[in-house]
Amino acid sequence: MKPKTILAFGNPVYDLISTPALRRNDRVLSGCSTNACLAASKLGEESILVGTVGPDFNERLSRDLDYWKIGSHLYPSIQTGGFSLLYDEHGNRDLAILGVADPIPPSADGFNRADFVLIGPILGETGPELVHHIHSMLAVPILLDPQGLLRVLHNGWVHHEHTREFDEIAALSTVVKANELETQVITGIDPRQDPEGAVRALHRHGGQIAVVTLAEAGSIIFDGQDIVQIPPYTTNAIDPTGAGDTYAAGFMVKYLETPHDLAAVGCFASAVASVMVENSGPDFPLTRQEADRRAVQLLEGPLRVKLSN
């Protein structure tokens, strides 16, 4: 089978990460689109990253992307982006800024093919003009991970706000995937308390499919007709960084194979994310065989599908 091409728009970052289980002193390659490209590549697909990078990490990034077999269209920036991520025992995190990269040019080009497009900004670098440009050039599904569209800076710390940019880009997207914090910022509904209400409200903001990820509680998917609750793959979580990003990669890869089976798509995405959280950094040992094995285990368990009223 010919590899599928995932084209991901969002700046790479080099982060410092501290969790209750580990504390890293080295800066780690990360970023929403970067982590999704890493997962897609490990699953045997072609991944292409579009973003900006500064001279501080340009050579290292080129080596890293070559090593992980990720294609790229990189634009120059004054500096490379980065965060200091501090997690508590509940998985909540504080973000402090280590560097802010420039936006991706709204007329970015150099790409003429893709099977799925990911819009995965980390700090507002994918503006509506860019996404309109992509939408006009490529007649393929778009998955929006809105994290970087909801982040605003106050005194070097990141806060979350519902933005006009999110609304405009969500309207152009096929799939909108948000974690529980992002979902509550967008909809005003706590998805832990009312997951079905939250995913329905997220769906109203645009996209044919809404996905809410709930960490150890799994995820919930709504396509306007059916609500599918996806269980988590139980594992020993070491570092949650990148879990949602790799979930997005798994979702795109499996959706291209079985677009009418959202239970299979969600279970595969959950399986991919579970491998990421067992590890820290880009060298997580994901394979297609292991993702399929874990996904089958989830599919054989208690899924819940509810018809929309």
Side-chain angles (χ1 to χ4, degrees), residues 62-267:
S62 295
R63 291 194 303 270
D64 286 343
L65 296 182
D66 286 345
Y67 181 81
W68 297 114
K69 298 181 174 60
I70 297 172
S72 63
H73 295 286
L74 299 174
Y75 294 86
S77 172
I78 294 176
Q79 62 179 192
T80 305
F83 297 99
S84 173
L85 297 89
L86 177 62
Y87 291 91
D88 65 19
E89 64 274 11
H90 303 294
N92 302 310
R93 70 183 182 187
D94 288 325
L95 294 177
I97 296 295
L98 299 176
V100 179
D102 294 335
I104 300 171
S107 58
D109 55 16
F111 50 86
N112 55 17
R113 60 187 172 82
D115 294 296
F116 219 124
V117 166
L118 169 66
I119 306 298
I122 51 95
L123 197 61
E125 70 271 19
T126 59
E129 187 178 351
L130 169 65
V131 182
H132 277 287
H133 174 63
I134 296 165
H135 194 268
S136 69
M137 291 186 64
L138 297 169
V140 300
I142 295 175
L143 187 150
L144 171 62
D145 188 316
Q147 57 185 271
L149 298 175
L150 306 176
R151 291 172 175 164
V152 295
L153 292 180
H154 293 301
N155 300 318
W157 290 88
V158 175
H159 300 263
H160 292 80
E161 297 177 3
H162 189 162
T163 64
R164 175 190 62 80
E165 288 79 9
F166 164 76
D167 288 333
E168 189 168 346
I169 295 173
L172 298 171
S173 303
T174 310
V175 182
V176 178
K177 181 205 71 69
N179 67 20
E180 55 197 276
L181 170 61
E182 295 152 3
T183 299
Q184 187 159 3
V185 169
I186 294 164
T187 68
I189 300 172
D190 181 350
R192 291 279 179 160
Q193 300 298 319
D194 183 9
E196 291 190 10
V199 77
R200 289 176 186 272
L202 182 64
H203 187 267
R204 289 194 289 270
H205 282 271
Q208 301 167 24
I209 301 169
V211 182
V212 176
T213 59
L214 297 165
E216 84 292 342
S219 56
I220 185 166
I221 303 171
F222 180 51
D223 65 356
Q225 179 177 352
D226 298 333
I227 289 177
V228 186
Q229 291 188 335
I230 304 297
Y233 184 90
T234 303
T235 188
N236 180 29
I238 299 298
D239 180 1
T241 308
D245 312 332
T246 52
Y247 182 106
F251 191 101
M252 290 185 288
V253 168
K254 192 65 176 177
Y255 183 84
L256 289 169
E257 298 172 359
T258 59
H260 302 297
D261 189 348
L262 291 179
V265 172
C267 286

Side-chain angles (χ1 to χ4, degrees), residues 41-57:
S41 179
K42 292 170 189 281
L43 291 169
E45 313 299 349
E46 180 184 24
S47 62
I48 302 172
L49 176 67
V50 184
T52 71
V53 61
D56 47 351
F57 282 94

Side-chain angles (χ1 to χ4, degrees), residues 7-61:
L7 182 61
F9 291 81
N11 287 341
V13 292
Y14 281 89
D15 291 340
L16 284 174
I17 300 171
S18 179
T19 79
L22 67 87
R23 181 179 181 85
R24 300 189 65 139
N25 296 317
D26 57 325
R27 289 182 65 168
V28 180
L29 176 65
S30 191
C32 176
S33 290
T34 305
N35 289 327
C37 284
L38 283 162
S41 179
K42 292 170 189 281
L43 291 169
E45 313 299 349
E46 180 184 24
S47 62
I48 302 172
L49 176 67
V50 184
T52 71
V53 61
D56 47 351
F57 282 94
N58 185 48
E59 290 186 7
R60 179 177 171 185
L61 178 63

